[in-house]
C-alpha cells in the first residue's frame, strides 16, 4: 500500500469538480445498531477545493464526514458498508491502516478541543506520533509553520509554552486547525468548526479555510447556509440520511434541482 | 522518510511520505506498543480476578472441614445408678449424673489391653470432653432412656477428628509377602518368617536413611566457614558432629543386610496390621522383626498368613496423633464405628477452648445485635443528614464545612473510630465494655458517611419536577419532600444502607479497641451483655495454635462471606428492581 | 429502668398525639384551623419526646458521675485522688452491687456497694420522676395551645428542620470527638514523654514497669521505627496497587467490551468487599509461608512475618480502590479530547498515555493519595501478617511493625489507664489521624477542583 503522493503545490485554480475527485464515495450506508443513519450516499469530493455538507440536524452529514477518516470506528455499535476511496484507494480496505489514514485525513471538531498541554505540545503532538521530525529544530519548524498557516502564530509566538486551553475560543479552534495541518494531511474534515464561536472568530476561521484550500482538500459540515455559500465551491445537501443533491455551490443556492433543497435553502424547514 | 524539501514559498507546509518503509516500520512498532499496552491492562484485571479466585479457593479448601465432625458410635449403658440414683427423674439430679463415666467405660471397652495409666489417658483424650455433655442433653431430653442400652454418637477430640480429615499423616499400606510366625510376650511381639519377609521394608528404611544423610549433608554445607583467628570451637564441634552423622547414616544405609532400630523422632513409623491387631515395628531385620502390640488381636495369633504393613510418613514426634492414637482410630474405623456428620454444633454453640466444641453462635448473635444497633442509629441519622444537606441546607460556610467533613470522615482509618469509642463511649460515658451496644454505636459512626453519601445521591437522582409538582398543588416544602421525594429515593437509600451494613459486618479493628475481643462462651442476650462479632471471632481463632482452629477460622470466614454475599446480592437486586431512569 | 423510661415516654407521646389530635379535630368542626389536626398531634408528641430524651441523657450522665463519686467516698475517700486504683475500685463496687462480686468482700467494699445500690436506685427514680413531670407538663401545654390560628404545621416543620440539622451535625461532632479524644490523651502523654523523644526517637519499647524502682522503669517511645515500618508496608502496597489498579482501570474504561466489563466489574467489587480480617488470614497463613519458602529456596533469610507478605496483600486490597477511583477520573476526561487525538492518527494507547492520562493526572494523583491513606490506616492485615518487632529496617523481608499494630497491641486486653504506654497508643492514633486527614483533605480538594474543570 502506498500513498506516496507528495503534495502538489500548484497555485489553486478555479475548481473543476468533475476532473479530480480526491474522495469518492459509492453507496455508503451507516447503521447505528438498528438505526439506519446514512442511506446509499454516493458523492465525489474534488481536490483542493472546499466542499460543504448542509442539511437539518440529524440528517447524516456529520456521520458521513466521520466515515471519511473512519472516526466511526471508535463507536462500537456503528457499521459502515459501501465504498469510500481516496485517490482511488478504498479506505475501508482491511489492509489499510487507520492510523495512517487519519494522518492523511485530518479533522477539526465542532467544539475546540485543544489538549490540556502547551500550545507548542498541541501542535507537536501529531508530528511526534508519526515521527515526522528527526530533531528539535525540525519539530520547531513544523510547529511554527503550522501555526503560521493557521494564522495563529503572531498571536501566540510569545507564549508557546502556555496551556492551549487558556486561549480564546476562536484561537483554540485555529490551534486545532494548526494541529491538524502539522501532520501534513491531504484532506481536512471540519465538523461545524464555527458553531461554538462568535461572529468575529468565525470570520477569521472562514478566511483561513479559504486560504487553506490552495493546499488541502477541505470538507466542511455546517448548519449555516450562509457559511456554506461563503466558503465552499461545492455543496451537498443531506436530508434524513440521504444525499439529496450535490453540485457547485452557486448552482445549489440559486437553482436547486430538488424540491427539498429548495425548501431548505429558502427556510421552509430546517 | 522526511521530505525536507519545502513546499513552494508561501505555503510553508512540509510534506511527508507516509508510504515510505521507515514510516511503515514505525507504524508497525506503534502497533506493537499498542498491543503490549493492552495486554498489560488485561493482565492487571486478570491478576485481580485470579487473586479473588485463589483466595476463595484457599479458604473453601481450608474451611470445608469445619462443617463436618467425626464421631464414634458406641453402645452406652445408661446405668440408672450413675445418672439418677434417686430414681425420681428430677432435672437437677439428671444434670448431675456421671455421664463421663458412662462414655469412658464404653470407650475403653474397645481396647481392653490398654491398662497402663499414661496409655489410658492418651486413649481417653481421643474422645471430646463435650461428649458427656451431649449425652446429658440427650438424657434430659428423653429421661425414658435411663436404664437402657443405646447406640450413641460420641464426639471425637480435635486430634482424632483431624486424623480422619487427613491432617495427621500420610498413610500408605502395602500387603506383606509370606507367612509370619508370631511370638507374643505380653505386649512385646517377635515376628519371623522364611524368605526374608521384611526385606522390602528394610530397603525402604535404608532408602530413608540415605535421604537423611543428604539432608544432614546439606546442613553441613550451609555451615559458615571458620574465621581465621576467631573462636571457632562451637562451629568446629558442630561440623565434626554432622560429618560423623553423615558418615554413620551412609554406612547404615549401605549395609543392606543389617537390622535397623526405628527412631520414632525422625523416621516414619511402620505398623503391621493383621487379625485386627496393630503391631508397631521397633527393630527390623531382613527375616525377623521386633514390635510392640498397640492393638490386641481379635483372637490368639501364632502364625499370620496374610498381613499388611502401614507406613505413617510423618515421624511420630512431629505430629499430635501418636502411632497408638492412629492405630486405635483406624481399628475402630475398620470396625465401622466411625461416622462423619454435618456439624450443626458449629452453628449452635458458642466459643470454646476445645476446637471440636467451638461454634459461631455467640459471634453470630453478637453480630446481629451489633448491626441492629448500628442500623437503628445510623439509618435515621444518615437519611436525616442527607435530606438536610440536599434539601434544606443554606449555601454557606457551615454547610461547606459539613460537606468536606463528611467526605473526610469516610476516609478516616477505622481504628481511629475505635479510639473514639474507647475514649468517649467507654471512658467518658461509662458504657459497658465488650457490649454490642458500644460496638454498634462505633460502627454507626463509621458507616454514617457512606449512608449519607449514598442517600444524597439517591435524593439527587429524583428529578426536581416531582417536587415542583407537589409544591404546585399547595404542599409545603417538607410535605413535598417527605411525601414524594423521599419515597422515590428510598430504594437508592436502602441499597446504600445495605452496602453500609455489609461494610459494618466485616469491620474488625474498631471493635478490638472497645474490648469485643474477650473470650466469651455465653451467648449474648441483650445489647449490653458482653459479646463478640463474627470478624473478631475469626481474628481470635486465627491466633490460636491448635491446627483444628485453622479450619474453624476458615469455616467462620465462609459464613461471613456468605452473609456479605447475600447482603450485596440483595443490594444489587434492589438496585436492578427499582432502578428508574427519569 | 431505661426501657421502662422509654416505654413510658412512648406511651405519653402517643397519648398526647391522640388527645391533641382529637381535640383539634373537634375544634375544626366549628371553625377552620390553620393546620390540620394531625400536625397539632405531631407537634404535641414531639414536644413530649424531645425534652424527655434530653432529660434522660443529661440526667443519666450526671447521675452516673454523682453515684460513682459518692460510692467511692463511701468506700475510701482516698480513692478519689488515686487515679490508678479508682477505676478498678469502682468496677469492683459495681460487680459486687449486682451480685457478681467475690464473697469475701471487705467492709469498705460493702459500704461502697451499698451506697452505690442506694444512690443508683434513687437517681434512677429521680430521673424518671423528672422526665415524667416534664412530659406531662409538655402534653398539657400542647393541649392548651390548640387554637384556630395556631400554626402547628409551621412549628412542627421547624422542629423537623432542626432535627435534620442535628443529624447532619453528628458528622461534625464525630470529627470533633475524634480530635478531642486523641488530642486530650496525647497532651497527657506529652507531659510524661517529651514530644521530641516521641517524634524522633529510634527505639520503641513501650513496656513500663509497674513500680518505679524496677529495672528499665521507663519504656522508650520513639516512633521512628513504626513510621518506617508503616511506610515500608504502604510503599509495597502502593507499588502493587498502583500499576495493577491503574492498568485495570485503563483496560476497563478504554478497552474492555461490555461483556468483559460485566464480568470483571463484579469481581473487582467482590475483592473490594472482602473484609480485611479475611485478607489478613490469607496473608498470614498462605502468602507469608509461600514467600518464606520461595525466599529460602533462593537462599534469602525471610522473617516469618515479613513486611512483604503484609504489603502484597494490602496492595491487592487497595487495587479495587485505586481502579474504581481512576476509572472515574479517566471516564471524566471528555470524549472530544480523545477524538482530537484519534483524529490525528494516534493509536488508542498513544491517546491514553499522551492525552487522557495527562488530563486525568490530578485525579489519579489524588486517587493514589487516598490509597496511601487507606494503606497507612489499615489494621487487620498488618495485625495478622506483620509482626510486633519494632525493627528499624527498610528490608521488605524483615518483620516490621506499624502504627496500627502498636495501637491495637497496647489497647487490646488489660490496660491501666493513664500509664504512659496506654497514652502512647492515643499519641500514635493522633499521628495516624492527622497524617491520613492531611492526605485526604489534599486529595479531596484536588478531586473537587478536577471535577469542576470538566463539569
Amino acid at each position: 500500500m502506498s500513498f506516496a503522493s507528495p503534495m502538489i503545490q500548484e497555485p489553486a485554480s478555479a475548481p473543476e469538480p468533475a476532473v479530480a475527485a480526491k474522495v469518492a464515495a459509492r453507496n455508503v450506508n451507516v447503521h447505528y445498531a438498528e438505526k439506519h443513519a446514512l442511506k446509499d450516499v454516493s458523492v465525489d469530493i474534488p481536490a483542493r477545493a472546499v466542499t460543504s455538507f448542509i442539511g437539518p440536524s440529524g440528517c447524516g452529514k456529520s456521520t458521513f464526514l466521520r466515515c471519511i477518516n473512519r472516526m466511526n470506528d471508535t463507536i462500537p455499535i456503528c457499521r459502515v458498508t459501501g465504498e469510500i476511496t481516496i485517490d482511488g484507494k478504498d479506505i475501508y480496505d482491511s489492509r489499510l491502516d487507520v492510523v495512517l489514514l487519519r494522518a492523511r485525513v485530518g479533522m477539526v471538531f465542532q467544539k475546540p478541543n485543544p489538549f490540556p498541554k502547551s500550545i507548542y505540545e498541541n501542535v507537536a503532538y501529531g508530528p511526534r506520533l508519526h515521527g515526522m521530525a528527526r530533531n528539535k529544530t525540525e519539530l520547531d519548524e513544523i510547529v511554527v509553520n503550522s501555526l503560521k498557516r493557521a494564522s495563529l502564530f503572531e498571536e501566540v509566538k510569545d507564549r508557546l509554552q502556555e496551556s492551549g486551553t487558556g486561549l480564546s475560543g476562536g484561537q483554540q479552534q485555529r490551534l486545532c486547525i494548526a494541529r491538524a495541518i502539522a501532520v501534513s494531511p491531504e484532506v481536512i474534515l471540519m465538523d461545524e468548526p464555527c458553531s461554538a464561536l462568535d461572529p468575529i472568530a468565525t470570520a477569521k476561521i472562514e478566511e483561513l479555510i479559504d486560504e487553506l484550500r490552495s493546499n488541502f482538500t477541505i470538507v466542511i459540515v455546517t448548519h449555516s447556509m450562509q457559511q456554506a455559500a461563503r466558503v465552499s465551491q461545492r455543496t451537498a445537501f443531506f436530508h434524513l440520511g440521504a444525499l439529496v443533491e450535490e453540485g457547485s455551490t452557486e448552482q445549489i443556492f440559486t437553482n436547486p434541482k430538488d424540491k427539498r433543497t429548495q425548501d431548505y435553502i429558502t427556510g421552509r424547514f430546517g | 522518510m522526511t521530505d525536507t524539501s519545502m513546499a513552494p514559498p508561501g505555503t510553508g507546509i512540509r510534506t511527508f511520505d507516509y508510504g515510505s518503509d521507515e514510516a511503515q516500520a514505525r507504524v508497525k512498532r506503534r502497533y506493537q506498543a499498542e498491543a503490549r499496552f493492552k495486554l498489560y491492562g488485561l493482565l492487571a484485571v486478570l491478576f485481580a480476578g485470579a487473586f479473588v479466585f485463589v483466595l476463595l479457593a484457599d479458604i473453601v479448601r481450608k474451611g470445608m472441614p469445619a462443617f463436618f465432625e467425626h464421631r464414634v458410635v458406641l453402645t452406652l449403658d445408661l446405668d440408672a445408678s450413675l445418672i439418677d440414683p434417686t430414681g425420681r427423674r428430677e432435672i437437677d439430679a439428671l444434670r448431675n449424673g456421671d455421664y463421663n463415666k458412662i462414655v469412658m467405660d464404653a470407650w475403653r471397652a474397645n481396647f481392653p489391653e490398654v491398662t497402663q495409666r499414661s496409655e489410658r489417658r492418651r486413649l481417653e483424650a481421643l474422645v471430646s470432653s463435650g461428649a458427656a455433655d451431649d449425652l446429658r442433653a440427650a438424657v434430659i431430653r428423653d429421661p425414658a432412656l435411663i436404664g437402657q442400652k443405646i447406640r450413641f454418637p460420641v464426639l471425637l477430640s480435635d486430634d482424632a477428628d483431624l486424623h480422619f480429615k487427613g491432617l495427621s499423616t500420610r498413610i500408605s499400606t502395602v500387603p506383606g509377602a509370606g507367612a509370619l510366625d508370631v511370638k507374643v510376650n505380653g505386649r512385646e511381639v517377635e515376628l519371623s518368617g522364611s524368605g526374608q519377609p521384611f526385606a522390602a521394608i528394610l530397603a525402604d528404611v535404608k532408602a530413608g536413611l540415605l535421604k537423611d544423610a543428604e539432608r544432614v549433608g546439606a546442613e553441613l554445607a550451609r555451615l559458615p566457614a571458620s574465621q581465621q583467628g576467631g573462636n571457632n570451637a562451637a562451629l568446629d564441634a558442630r561440623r565434626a558432629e554432622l560429618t560423623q552423622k553423615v558418615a554413620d547414616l551412609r554406612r547404615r544405609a549401605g549395609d543392606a543386610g543389617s537390622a535397623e532400630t526405628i527412631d520414632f523422632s525422625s523416621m516414619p513409623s511402620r505398623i503391621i496390621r493383621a487379625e485386627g491387631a496393630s503391631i508397631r515395628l521397633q527393630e527390623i531385620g531382613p527375616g525377623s522383626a521386633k514390635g510392640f502390640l498397640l492393638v490386641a488381636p481379635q483372637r490368639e495369633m501364632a502364625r499370620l498368613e496374610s498381613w499388611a504393613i502401614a507406613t505413617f510418613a510423618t515421624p511420630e514426634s512431629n505430629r499430635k496423633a501418636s502411632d497408638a492414637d492412629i492405630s486405635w482410630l483406624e481399628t475402630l474405623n475398620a470396625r465401622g464405628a466411625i461416622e462423619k456428620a454435618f456439624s450443626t454444633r458449629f452453628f449452635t454453640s458458642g466459643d470454646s477452648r476445645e476446637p471440636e466444641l467451638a461454634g459461631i453462635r455467640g459471634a453470630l448473635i453478637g453480630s446481629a445485635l451489633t448491626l441492629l444497633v448500628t442500623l437503628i442509629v445510623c439509618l435515621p441519622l444518615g437519611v436525616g443528614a442527607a435530606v438536610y444537606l440536599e434539601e434544606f441546607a443554606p449555601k454557606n460556610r457551615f454547610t461547606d464545612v459539613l460537606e468536606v467533613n463528611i467526605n473526610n470522615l469516610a476516609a478516616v482509618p477505622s481504628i481511629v473510630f475505635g479510639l473514639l469509642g474507647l475514649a468517649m463511649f467507654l471512658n467518658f460515658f461509662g458504657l459497658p465494655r465488650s457490649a454490642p451496644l458500644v460496638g454498634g454505636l462505633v460502627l454507626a459512626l463509621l458507616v454514617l458517611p457512606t449512608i449519607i453519601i449514598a442517600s444524597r445521591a439517591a435524593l439527587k437522582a429524583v428529578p426536581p419536577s416531582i417536587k415542583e409538582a407537589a409544591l404546585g398543588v399547595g404542599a409545603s416544602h417538607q410535605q413535598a419532600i417527605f411525601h414524594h421525594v423521599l419515597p422515590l429515593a428510598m430504594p437508592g437509600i436502602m441499597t446504600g444502607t445495605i452496602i453500609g451494613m455489609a461494610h459494618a459486618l466485616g469491620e474488625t479493628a474498631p471493635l478490638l479497641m472497645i474490648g469485643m475481643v474477650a473470650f466469651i462462651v455465653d451467648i449474648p442476650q441483650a445489647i449490653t451483655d458482653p459479646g463478640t462479632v463474627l470478624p473478631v471471632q475469626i481474628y481470635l481463632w486465627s491466633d490460636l495454635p491448635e491446627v483444628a482452629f485453622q479450619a474453624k477460622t476458615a469455616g467462620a470466614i465462609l459464613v461471613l462471606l456468605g452473609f456479605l454475599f447475600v447482603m450485596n446480592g440483595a443490594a444489587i437486586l434492589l438496585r436492578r428492581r427499582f432502578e428508574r431512569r427519569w | 429502668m431505661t426501657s421502662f423510661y422509654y416505654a413510658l415516654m412512648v406511651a405519653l407521646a402517643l397519648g398526647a398525639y391522640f388527645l391533641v389530635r382529637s381535640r383539634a379535630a373537634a375544634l375544626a368542626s366549628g371553625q377552620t384551623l390553620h393546620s390540620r389536626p394531625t400536625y397539632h398531634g405531631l407537634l404535641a408528641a414531639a414536644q413530649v419526646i424531645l425534652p424527655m430524651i434530653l432529660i434522660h441523657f443529661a440526667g443519666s450522665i450526671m447521675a452516673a458521675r454523682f453515684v460513682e463519686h459518692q460510692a467511692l467516698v463511701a468506700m475510701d475517700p482516698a480513692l478519689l485522688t488515686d487515679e490508678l486504683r479508682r477505676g478498678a475500685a469502682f468496677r469492683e463496687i459495681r460487680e459486687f452491687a449486682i451480685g457478681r462480686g467475690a464473697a469475701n468482700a471487705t467492709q469498705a467494699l460493702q459500704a461502697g456497694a451499698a451506697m452505690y445500690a442506694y444512690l443508683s436506685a434513687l437517681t434512677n427514680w429521680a430521673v424518671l420522676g423528672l422526665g415524667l413531670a416534664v412530659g406531662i407538663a409538655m402534653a398539657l401545654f400542647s393541649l392548651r395551645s390548640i387554637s384556630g390560628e395556631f400554626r402547628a404545621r409551621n412549628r412542627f416543620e421547624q422542629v423537623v428542620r432542626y432535627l435534620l440539622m442535628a443529624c447532619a451535625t453528628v458528622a461534625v461532632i464525630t470529627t470533633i470527638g475524634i480530635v478531642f479524644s486523641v488530642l486530650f490523651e496525647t497532651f497527657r502523654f506529652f507531659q510524661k514523654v517529651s514530644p521530641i523523644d516521641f517524634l524522633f526517637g529510634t527505639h520503641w519499647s513501650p513496656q513500663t514497669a509497674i513500680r518505679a524502682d524496677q529495672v528499665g522503669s521507663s519504656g522508650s517511645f520513639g516512633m521512628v521505627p513504626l513510621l518506617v515500618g508503616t511506610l515500608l508496608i504502604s510503599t509495597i502496597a502502593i507499588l502493587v496497587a498502583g500499576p495493577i489498579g491503574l492498568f485495570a482501570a485503563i483496560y476497563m474504561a478504554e478497552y474492555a467490551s461490555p461483556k468483559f466489563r460485566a464480568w470483571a466489574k463484579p469481581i473487582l467489587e467482590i475483592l473490594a468487599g472482602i473484609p480485611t480480617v479475611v485478607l489478613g488470614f490469607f496473608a498470614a497463613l498462605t502468602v507469608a509461608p509461600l514467600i518464606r519458602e520461595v525466599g529460602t529456596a533462593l537462599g534469602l533469610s525471610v522473617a516469618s512475618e515479613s513486611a512483604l507478605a503484609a504489603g502484597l496483600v494490602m496492595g491487592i486490597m487497595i487495587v479495587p480502590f485505586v481502579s474504581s477511583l481512576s476509572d472515574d477520573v479517566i471516564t471524566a476526561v471528555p470524549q472530544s479530547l480523545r477524538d482530537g487525538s484519534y483524529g490525528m492518527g494516534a493509536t488508542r494507547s498513544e491517546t491514553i498515555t499522551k492525552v487522557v492520562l495527562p488530563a486525568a493526572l490530578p485525579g489519579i494523583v489524588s486517587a493514589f493519595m487516598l490509597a496511601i491513606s487507606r494503606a497507612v490506616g489499615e489494621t487487620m492485615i498488618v495485625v495478622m501478617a506483620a509482626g510486633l518487632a519494632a525493627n528499624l529496617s527498610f528490608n521488605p523481608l524483615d518483620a516490621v511493625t506499624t502504627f496500627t499494630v502498636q495501637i491495637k497491641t497496647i489497647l487490646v486486653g488489660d490496660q491501666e489507664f493513664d500509664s504512659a504506654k496506654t497514652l502512647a497508643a492515643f499519641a500514635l492514633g493522633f499521628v495516624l489521624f492527622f497524617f491520613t486527614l492531611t492526605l485526604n483533605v489534599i486529595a479531596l480538594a484536588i478531586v473537587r477542583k478536577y471535577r469542576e474543570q470538566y463539569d
Side-chain angles (χ1 to χ4, degrees), chain B residues 75-271:
Chain B
T75 306
L76 301 182
D77 180 8
L78 299 183
D79 185 351
S81 67
L82 284 173
I83 300 171
D84 188 20
T86 62
R88 283 200 293 263
R89 301 288 188 267
E90 282 162 349
I91 294 284
D92 280 346
L94 294 183
R95 222 166 248 149
N96 291 326
D98 194 351
Y99 298 93
N100 198 41
K101 182 166 161 45
I102 297 175
V103 172
M104 282 307 164
D105 284 349
W107 170 244
R108 279 196 306 263
N110 287 305
F111 303 103
E113 70 276 15
V114 175
T115 48
Q116 195 208 342
R117 235 182 108 124
S118 64
E119 200 184 3
R120 217 173 80 181
R121 209 172 294 148
R122 274 216 81 101
L123 179 62
E124 286 172 359
L126 290 180
V127 168
S128 167
S129 60
D133 296 328
D134 288 352
L135 181 61
R136 186 195 323 269
V139 168
I140 289 174
R141 232 184 354 258
D142 181 12
L145 294 174
I146 297 172
Q148 294 185 29
K149 285 197 173 176
I150 57 165
R151 305 268 296 154
F152 191 78
V154 169
L155 186 66
L156 291 172
S157 74
D158 56 328
D159 289 335
D161 190 48
L162 285 178
H163 169 71
F164 286 118
K165 284 170 180 166
L167 293 168
S168 59
T169 175
R170 195 159 40 80
I171 301 177
S172 50
T173 310
V174 287
L180 294 178
D181 287 318
V182 186
K183 238 186 272 170
V184 183
N185 177 17
R187 303 283 292 276
E188 305 288 336
V189 182
E190 272 180 52
L191 301 159
S192 58
S194 55
Q196 305 210 327
F198 300 114
I201 304 170
L202 190 58
D204 197 31
V205 172
K206 303 263 181 199
L209 290 178
L210 208 57
K211 273 217 185 82
D212 283 354
E214 270 169 34
R215 196 173 40 75
V216 177
E219 194 188 336
L220 182 63
R222 274 203 303 273
L223 281 184
S226 289
Q227 302 273 309
Q228 201 86 83
N231 186 4
N232 296 317
L235 199 59
D236 289 340
R238 178 85 183 134
R239 198 188 315 281
E241 184 194 339
L242 290 182
T243 314
Q244 178 63 38
K245 208 167 166 185
V246 171
D248 227 36
L249 286 167
R250 288 243 161 82
R251 182 181 50 71
R252 279 165 64 190
D255 188 357
S258 69
E260 282 296 338
T261 307
I262 305 290
D263 174 3
F264 295 110
S265 69
S266 65
M267 295 161 78
S269 304
R270 286 170 173 82
I271 313 285

Side-chain angles (χ1 to χ4, degrees), chain A residues 4 7 9 97-100 103-104 128-132 134 138 141-142 145 149 181 183-184 215, chain B residues 1-4 6-8 10-19 22-24 26-27 30-31:
Chain A
M7 299 234 163
Q9 278 88 21
D97 196 297
V98 67
V99 161
L100 286 185
R104 292 178 57 226
R128 274 201 230 267
L129 281 182
H130 299 292
M132 291 171 69
R134 270 170 302 207
E138 282 187 21
E141 185 191 307
I142 294 177
N145 281 337
R149 289 288 297 161
I181 298 172
V183 288
S184 71
N215 295 92
Chain B
M1 188 69 191
T2 308
D3 189 348
T4 44
M6 293 292 291
T11 65
I13 290 297
R14 165 196 294 272
T15 60
F16 185 71
D17 180 3
Y18 286 108
E22 195 186 318
Q24 293 292 321
R26 189 180 165 82
V27 168
R30 285 170 60 198
Y31 273 116

Side-chain angles (χ1 to χ4, degrees), chain B residues 418-429:
Chain B
L419 291 177
L420 171 76
L422 178 60
M424 284 285 165
F425 296 138
L426 295 190
N427 293 336
F428 188 72
F429 289 122

Side-chain angles (χ1 to χ4, degrees), chain C residues 54-186:
Chain C
L54 215 62
I55 287 172
H56 186 254
F57 261 60
S60 307
I61 291 171
M62 281 184 338
R65 305 258 128 167
F66 173 70
V67 170
E68 180 180 350
H69 188 268
Q70 292 302 321
L72 288 170
V73 168
M75 184 171 168
D76 179 5
L79 279 172
L80 282 181
T81 47
D82 191 340
E83 295 260 327
L84 280 178
R85 284 169 53 215
R86 186 185 165 137
F90 183 60
R91 222 169 298 150
E92 234 178 304
I93 290 175
R94 214 163 35 185
E95 291 284 300
F96 186 79
I98 57 173
R100 267 197 255 169
N104 56 343
T106 59
Q107 201 84 45
L109 181 59
Q110 284 181 9
M115 180 59 90
Y116 173 83
Y118 168 66
L119 282 180
S120 294
L122 193 69
T123 50
N124 275 340
W125 283 110
V127 169
L128 182 71
L130 185 65
L132 205 58
V134 170
I136 291 171
M138 290 309 288
L140 291 176
F141 170 74
S142 308
L143 214 50
R144 283 194 47 185
S145 52
I146 302 171
S147 76
E149 307 84 72
F150 184 57
R151 296 171 165 248
R153 184 176 54 83
N154 305 42
R155 263 303 177 79
F156 179 70
E157 291 191 345
Q158 188 115 37
V159 171
V160 170
R161 219 185 134 97
Y162 280 119
L163 275 180
L164 292 178
M165 193 164 128
C167 290
T169 322
V170 168
V172 177
I173 296 174
T174 306
T175 308
I176 295 172
I178 290 174
V179 171
F180 268 90
S181 51
V182 293
L183 206 62
F184 187 58
E185 309 286 343
T186 305

Side-chain angles (χ1 to χ4, degrees), chain C residues 13-14 48 109 163 211 247 270 290 317 323 373 390 406 420 449:
Chain C
L14 283 176
V48 170
L109 181 59
L163 275 180
R211 293 192 319 277
F247 267 112
I270 289 176
L290 190 74
M317 174 195 87
S323 81
S373 140
Q406 289 302 321
K449 256 218 148 105

Side-chain angles (χ1 to χ4, degrees), chain C residues 334-371:
Chain C
Q335 184 62 30
S336 67
L337 284 185
R338 291 189 181 83
D339 282 348
S341 178
Y342 293 141
M344 314 276 309
T347 62
R348 232 173 233 275
S349 63
E350 284 160 351
T351 303
I352 294 164
T353 52
K354 299 201 174 111
V355 176
V356 176
L357 288 187
L361 193 64
I364 289 170
V365 166
S366 68
F368 273 57
M369 288 171 76
L370 287 173

